[in-house]
Amino acid sequence: MGVFFLYLFIASATPIFMWIEKRWLAVASLPLLFVMWIMSGFYVMDMLTPMTHTIFMIITTFNVLVAHVAAFLLYIRPEWWKRYAAG
């Protein structure tokens, strides 16, 4: 459960880091973040049906993937371009 909430906070902080360079990706992830937080409240209160639980896990997984893609686009890819352009 602790790892789940850790990823919930990481996925929620992602739009802040993307706001300057990739604003379109930050704005696109905001609706899913809102849904993820609302559904996490239902998850904690144990009010999810099996179908909504599945949807919640899909949305959470998608948001974590977006967070990882954003980290790649913002931090790793520019370093690769610098390294190979100078090469």
Side-chain angles (χ1 to χ4, degrees), residues 77-87:
R77 195 173 77 166
E79 289 298 319
W80 281 353
W81 284 111
K82 287 180 195 174
R83 184 176 299 159
Y84 292 118

Side-chain angles (χ1 to χ4, degrees), residues 36-70:
M36 184 176 67
W37 273 102
I38 290 168
M39 291 184 81
S40 67
F42 288 121
Y43 178 73
V44 169
M45 293 184 292
D46 201 29
M47 296 175 59
L48 293 179
T49 64
M51 182 62 179
T52 55
H53 190 272
T54 303
I55 292 170
F56 174 56
M57 287 300 131
I58 291 171
I59 289 173
T60 303
T61 303
F62 181 75
N63 280 329
V64 169
L65 289 174
V66 167
H68 284 80
V69 167

Side-chain angles (χ1 to χ4, degrees), residues 12 27 29-41 59 63:
S12 298
V27 171
S29 67
L30 287 178
L32 289 175
L33 285 173
F34 290 130
V35 171
M36 184 176 67
W37 273 102
I38 290 168
M39 291 184 81
S40 67
I59 289 173
N63 280 329

